[in-house]
Amino acid sequence: MAVFSLSDFADHEQVVFVSDDKSGLKAIIAVHNSNLGPALGGCRMWPYASEEEAVRDVLRLSRGMTYKSAMARLKLGGGKSVIIGNPRTDKTPALLAAFARALEQLNGRYIAAEDSGTSVADMKTMAQFTRHVAGLHDKPSDQGTRSGDPSPATAYGTFIGIQAAVKERLGRDSLDGLRVAVQGVGNVGYDLARQLKEAGAQLWVTDIHREPLVQAGRELGATVVAPDEIFGLDVDVFAPCALGAILNDATIPQLKAKIVAGAANNQLAEARHGVELMKRGILYAPDYVINAGGIIDVYHERIGFERAALIRHIEGIRDNLMEVFERAREEERPTAEVADAIAEERFRR
């Protein structure tokens, strides 16, 4: 596998492959761009079907973090890491320690935080072996941010983003009666669903795990559907909150929603799918713009946490999205393309 020739390689500054026989660690760290500051991004643990799949994921995710931080006006670059393995069966303290030692060798060029398959507790374990982890400290907020966990901030920012998209596409200020299909009800997706429910929305949910679906049905009154049914529901908003590349040739024709706005990373399988959404009259809230709450939360931890400043910064996601929507409307361009242009203006100068 030639990394430089992969379509997802986007002038990355550094890609590091890490292994440790004793713990079984196999991991990849990608630093995309550090013009604005050190690369900060989550450490994902996932049972990838192949090493090539893992490489493509870390390349796409790290690039997305550069654009996300730039759009959120953070003094951070973009990076990401992936550990190949099942987080429920393969994760051990020894494996986390081995990964942390690899982080330390990068001398702060990349800073890890929690992501799919890792937790705040895992970051605290890593912190015993490296200085270069984030998302560790208690940060009480109006959204109930738990100790070091950026998930509530991500969910709140996504909620704010859905409000902006509904205003732009449907001309509505209220979410009361809004029909929303949430794909994935993990930490972020469930918290988002809760906020939508409190705002009066009707919910349909799906997930690959049964437990959160039972909870969403019981506590939020959500209608549970099978994973392959979520795309074709007659709803106002489709909110992807699981893994990426779910907006593709197979799923886009099924969509009846007028808005796609969710917390998942890399939702477009290819750039052309953003064009296809525009042609169908579906407003797409670019993923790295709407889901920036988590990285904003971690950034404020690093510069000195102040709750009011954090909330203001997260709520600025509304203004960022409205800027994207306005330019896309005026220039008749896909929102994802416009967001990329704005982000590039910020991190390349």
Side-chain angles (χ1 to χ4, degrees), residues 260-277:
V260 175
N265 286 309
N266 298 319
Q267 295 171 27
L268 300 175
E270 299 178 37
R272 63 184 177 85
H273 292 116
V275 178
E276 184 63 26
L277 289 172

Side-chain angles (χ1 to χ4, degrees), residues 284-322:
Y284 172 57
D287 45 35
Y288 62 79
V289 184
I290 193 173
N291 69 12
I295 194 71
I296 293 171
D297 182 278
V298 173
Y299 176 76
H300 277 263
E301 173 195 305
R302 288 175 55 79
I303 65 172
F305 179 75
E306 181 187 338
R307 182 180 63 181
L310 169 64
I311 299 305
R312 285 196 303 271
H313 203 153
I314 293 174
E315 291 177 347
I317 289 172
R318 177 188 292 108
D319 295 333
N320 284 332
L321 279 172
M322 295 309 290

Side-chain angles (χ1 to χ4, degrees), residues 172-205:
R172 293 177 48 177
D173 293 312
S174 170
L175 302 188
D176 190 33
L178 192 76
R179 299 165 299 168
V180 185
V182 181
Q183 182 193 41
V185 281
N187 288 343
V188 174
Y190 191 90
D191 200 12
L192 172 63
R194 176 189 60 78
Q195 293 176 64
L196 290 167
K197 176 66 174 180
E198 291 175 356
Q202 302 175 51
L203 301 174
W204 287 259
V205 299

Side-chain angles (χ1 to χ4, degrees), residues 71-284:
M71 280 298 298
R73 300 184 184 277
L74 303 177
K75 295 179 181 179
L76 294 172
K80 207 79 171 185
S81 57
V82 298
I83 298 174
I84 301 173
N86 187 325
R88 297 193 171 197
T89 57
D90 299 332
K91 189 193 301 178
T92 64
L95 181 142
L96 295 174
F99 182 77
R101 287 191 288 268
L103 284 184
E104 185 65 19
Q105 292 175 358
L106 292 178
N107 295 318
R109 277 183 54 76
Y110 167 68
I111 301 162
E114 72 153 341
D115 204 315
S116 301
T118 62
S119 65
V120 174
D122 295 335
M123 296 303 109
K124 290 183 176 180
T125 297
M126 291 183 192
Q128 299 174 48
F129 305 93
T130 180
R131 299 159 291 168
H132 307 305
V133 291
L136 304 174
H137 307 302
D138 291 345
K139 302 186 295 294
S141 78
D142 294 340
Q143 283 66 48
T145 301
R146 300 182 296 279
S147 63
D149 184 3
S151 299
T154 304
Y156 182 56
T158 305
F159 175 77
I160 292 294
I162 289 176
Q163 288 181 320
V166 167
K167 176 66 174 178
E168 171 70 18
R169 182 64 177 83
L170 304 179
R172 293 177 48 177
D173 293 312
S174 170
L175 302 188
D176 190 33
L178 192 76
R179 299 165 299 168
V180 185
V182 181
Q183 182 193 41
V185 281
N187 288 343
V188 174
Y190 191 90
D191 200 12
L192 172 63
R194 176 189 60 78
Q195 293 176 64
L196 290 167
K197 176 66 174 180
E198 291 175 356
Q202 302 175 51
L203 301 174
W204 287 259
V205 299
T206 196
D207 199 285
I208 60 174
H209 300 297
R210 181 175 180 275
E211 298 89 342
L213 292 177
V214 172
Q215 184 180 4
R218 181 179 65 248
E219 298 181 359
L220 305 179
T223 300
V224 175
V225 300
D228 58 355
E229 293 179 43
I230 198 75
F231 302 102
L233 296 176
D234 185 13
V235 294
D236 301 301
V237 179
F238 171 53
C241 297
L243 294 180
I246 46 74
L247 297 172
N248 52 52
D249 292 336
T251 60
I252 290 176
Q254 301 179 51
L255 294 176
K256 294 184 176 66
K258 299 178 180 65
I259 297 167
V260 175
N265 286 309
N266 298 319
Q267 295 171 27
L268 300 175
E270 299 178 37
R272 63 184 177 85
H273 292 116
V275 178
E276 184 63 26
L277 289 172
M278 183 182 72
K279 288 180 178 178
R280 293 172 179 267
I282 300 172
L283 179 65
Y284 172 57

